Amino acid sequence: MDELKSSLSKIAGKVDQIIAESTFPTGVKPAYLAAAMRSYPANGGKRLRPAIMLWSVAAAGGNMEDFLPAAAGLEIFHNWTLVHDDIIDDDDSRRGEPTAHVTLARAMELPENKRRKFGCDMAILAGDLMQGWAFDLVDQSRCSAELKLKLAAELRSYGYIKLVSGEALDVEMSFRSTDEAELLAMQSGKTGALLHYAARAGWMAGRGQAAAWNDEAAQALGSFGEYLAWAFQMRDDYLGIFGKYEEFGKPIGSDLAEGKATLLLLHALQNLPEAARKKLQSLLYCSSYTPDMLETARELFQQAGSLQYVLDMIDTMTCKAQQALDKLPETAEREILRKLAGYLAYREK
Amino acid sequence: MDELKSSLSKIAGKVDQIIAESTFPTGVKPAYLAAAMRSYPANGGKRLRPAIMLWSVAAAGGNMEDFLPAAAGLEIFHNWTLVHDDIIDDDDSRRGEPTAHVTLARAMELPENKRRKFGCDMAILAGDLMQGWAFDLVDQSRCSAELKLKLAAELRSYGYIKLVSGEALDVEMSFRSTDEAELLAMQSGKTGALLHYAARAGWMAGRGQAAAWNDEAAQALGSFGEYLAWAFQMRDDYLGIFGKYEEFGKPIGSDLAEGKATLLLLHALQNLPEAARKKLQSLLYCSSYTPDMLETARELFQQAGSLQYVLDMIDTMTCKAQQALDKLPETAEREILRKLAGYLAYREK
C-alpha cells in the first residue's frame, strides 16, 4: 500500500513537472485561454492514467523516464475530455474549483447575459487546444518515430472513437431508458477506453516497438484497464449512496438527484416489488436529500439485493483485473498494478 | 484559368474519395454522430487547403498521390474548426444547409426546450472526433515516419496554437473595440495559419524530408498562404457590401447587421467626418437592409476612401503573395498557385 502511494506520488510529481514545463500553451492568446489549458491538470486529480501507463512501461522492462511525456500527454488528453464534459453536463464545479467555462465566463467584463455563453465558447476552444497539446507531449517521448506514431494512433482509436462514443451514449441515455448491458458498454467507452490504452500502450512503449501492441501481455493489460474502470465506476456509484461526504467529497445522493443511471439503480428498479419501486422512484430528481430520505434509499437498495449485487460485481471485476495481470512477467510494478486494483475497489473516497 | 479549375476539381475528387473511404468514423456511435463527422466535408466547399498543399507538393518535385491522405486530413481539420465555430457564432446555416448543431438537435425525439443544447453538445463531440480523424488521415500518407511526425507537429502548431488563438481573438473582438493591426493579426490566425501550413507543409512533403520545412521556398510558401488569406478575407468583406447576392451567395449587408469588424468598416469609421460617421454607425446592427440603406452605406465607404483603400490592399496582398512564389523553381504548379491568388482576389463569388 505504502509502495503504491509513494510510487504514485513520485510519478505524479514528474508528470506535473513535464506539464508545467511544456511550452505548447505559451504561444496561445489571449492569456486567459492559455491559463484555462493548464487549470484542470494543475487542479489535482490522481494522475491514475499516467501512473498506470508508466507502471506498465516498467513491467515490460522499459525505462519510465523515456515515456514521461507520453504519460503527461495522456493526462492532458483525459483533462480535455473533462473540460468539454463539464460544458455538456453544465457542471459548475470540479474538485472543489469552478469548472473551465465558469472561470472563463469572468475573463472579460461582459454584460451578465453574455457571460455564460462566452465562458462556454472559450472552454470549447480550451478543450480543443488541449487536444493538440496532448499529442504534442506524446511526440516528445524518447523512442523511435514508428513507436511515437503508434502511441498516437492508438490514443486516437481509444481516446476518440471509443471514449467519445461512450460520452455521446452517456448524453443520449440521460434522455431515455437504458439497461445494464448498455450502461456497461457506455462505461467501457467513457472510462474504460483510456485505462485500456494507458495500460496497454505502456507495455508497448516498454518493449520499445509498435508490434508489442498485440503481445499477449499487452492485451491482458488492456483487459486489466477495462475491468479496473468498471470496478472504479461501480465503487463510485456505491460511495455516492453508501459513502461518507467527508471522505468521498461529493454530496451523497447527487446521483439520485440527477436520476443518473447506475448499476445500483438499474438493478433495484428491476428487482423491487411495485410498491417499493415506486417509493424509490419518488426519491429520484429531488432538489435536496434529508438523512431520512437517504436512509430510505439505502434500505430499498438493500431490500432489492442491489447493494450485494454491486459489491459482488466490484469483487468480480477486481478479481478479473488482477487475474489478467498473471499474463505478465513477475515484476515489482505488476504487483503495484495488482495493489492499485484492490485499492480502487475498496476505497472510501 | 481553365487549368486552375480543372486541376482543382481533379484534386477535390480525389480528396473526397479518400474522405469517403476512410473508416475512422465507422467505429463511432451513435450513427448520427458518425454522420455528423462526414456532413461538412460532404457538403461542398472549395477544397482550397488540400489543393494548395498538393500543388506545393508538386512544385517541390514530389508526388501528389503520396500526400492525398495528408491533404484530406487538412480538409477535415479545417472542417472541425467550422463545426465548433458555428456553435460559437450560433449560426444556423452553412453553404445553404443546416449547421451541425442544428441537424444534431433533431437526432433524438426530445422536448423542444432540450433540443438546442443537445444539438450543441453532440456537435462539440463531432468536432472533437474530427480532430482525431484529421490526424489519422495525415498518418496514412506514403512517406517516412519522421515526415509524418513533422506534418502532424506543424499542423498542431499552426492549426491549434495559431488558428485557435485567432478564433478566440475573433470572439473577444466582438465584445470590444479593435483596430486594423489587431484585425489583421486575428485574420492571420483564423484563416492565414492553415493556408500557411497548407502551402509550406506541401513543399516539405514534396521534398520528402522534415528538414525542408525551413527551405527558403517553404518559408516563401508560408508567406504566400498568409497574404492569400488576407486578400481572400478582404475580398470577402468587399463582396459583403459591393457584391451581388446571386453570385456571392450570402446576404449583402450581413456584415453590417452583425457590426462585424472588417477592414472596410474600421477604415471608414476612422476617416469619415463626424456627421457621416454617425450616419454609418446608424446603419450597423439593423435587422434588415433595404437597397437604399445599402446604397447609402456604399456611398459612405466611397466617400471615406475606404473602398479604394481595401481594393488597393487586396492588390498589394495579392502582389506580395505572387512575389513570394518567385522563390520557387519554375513549374506548372507554381503558375497554378499564382493564378489562384489572382482568381481569389478578383472573384465575384
Side-chain angles (χ1 to χ4, degrees), chain A residues 172-201:
Chain A
E172 212 191 271
M173 279 164 50
S174 70
F175 291 107
R176 59 166 173 77
S177 63
T178 183
D179 58 26
E180 185 176 318
E182 192 179 54
L183 177 69
L184 293 179
M186 183 279 283
Q187 292 171 346
S188 160
K190 197 173 169 181
T191 313
L194 226 46
L195 293 183
H196 179 122
Y197 173 82
R200 187 168 177 178

Side-chain angles (χ1 to χ4, degrees), chain B residues 47-67:
Chain B
R47 305 289 183 259
L48 217 52
R49 289 158 190 81
I52 290 173
M53 177 183 250
L54 294 172
W55 286 325
S56 293
V57 166
N63 179 4
M64 282 191 190
E65 299 287 327
D66 293 343
F67 296 98

Side-chain angles (χ1 to χ4, degrees), chain A residues 32 84 88 117 128 172, chain B residues 32 84 88 117 128 131 172:
Chain A
Y32 56 75
H84 282 186
I88 290 170
K117 169 89 170 80
D128 292 336
E172 212 191 271
Chain B
Y32 55 76
H84 282 187
I88 290 171
K117 169 90 168 81
D128 292 336
Q131 298 181 44
E172 212 192 272

Side-chain angles (χ1 to χ4, degrees), chain A residues 28-30 32 80 84 87-88 108 110 117 122 124 128-129 131-132 136 139 149 156 160 165 168 172, chain B residues 28-30 32 80 84 87-88 108 110 117 122 124 128 131-132 136 139 149 156 160 165 168 172 175:
Chain A
V28 171
K29 289 176 214 169
Y32 56 75
W80 83 252
H84 282 186
I87 300 171
I88 290 170
M108 279 185 87
L110 294 177
K117 169 89 170 80
M122 285 294 172
I124 292 175
D128 292 336
L129 286 162
Q131 297 180 46
D136 191 75
D139 193 30
L149 287 173
R156 288 192 297 268
Y160 284 109
S165 291
E172 212 191 271
Chain B
V28 171
K29 289 179 210 165
Y32 55 76
W80 83 252
H84 282 187
I87 300 171
I88 290 171
M108 279 185 88
L110 294 176
K117 169 90 168 81
M122 285 294 172
I124 291 174
D128 292 336
Q131 298 181 44
D136 190 75
D139 193 31
L149 286 173
R156 287 192 297 268
Y160 284 108
S165 292
E172 212 192 272
F175 291 107

Side-chain angles (χ1 to χ4, degrees), chain B residues 132-210:
Chain B
W133 189 16
F135 288 92
D136 190 75
L137 285 164
V138 170
D139 193 31
Q140 282 165 43
S141 304
R142 273 200 301 265
C143 64
S144 71
E146 284 76 12
L147 187 51
K148 288 181 188 183
L149 286 173
K150 181 72 171 173
L151 282 166
E154 295 298 343
L155 181 52
R156 287 192 297 268
S157 177
Y158 283 80
Y160 284 108
I161 300 178
K162 293 189 173 63
L163 187 152
V164 177
S165 292
E167 168 80 15
L169 189 53
D170 194 19
V171 175
E172 212 192 272
M173 280 165 47
S174 70
F175 291 107
R176 59 165 173 77
S177 62
T178 182
D179 59 26
E180 186 176 317
E182 192 180 53
L183 177 69
L184 293 180
M186 182 278 283
Q187 292 171 345
S188 160
K190 197 173 170 181
T191 313
L194 226 45
L195 293 183
H196 179 122
Y197 173 81
R200 188 167 176 179
W203 176 272
M204 170 177 72
R207 303 301 290 179
Q209 47 186 338

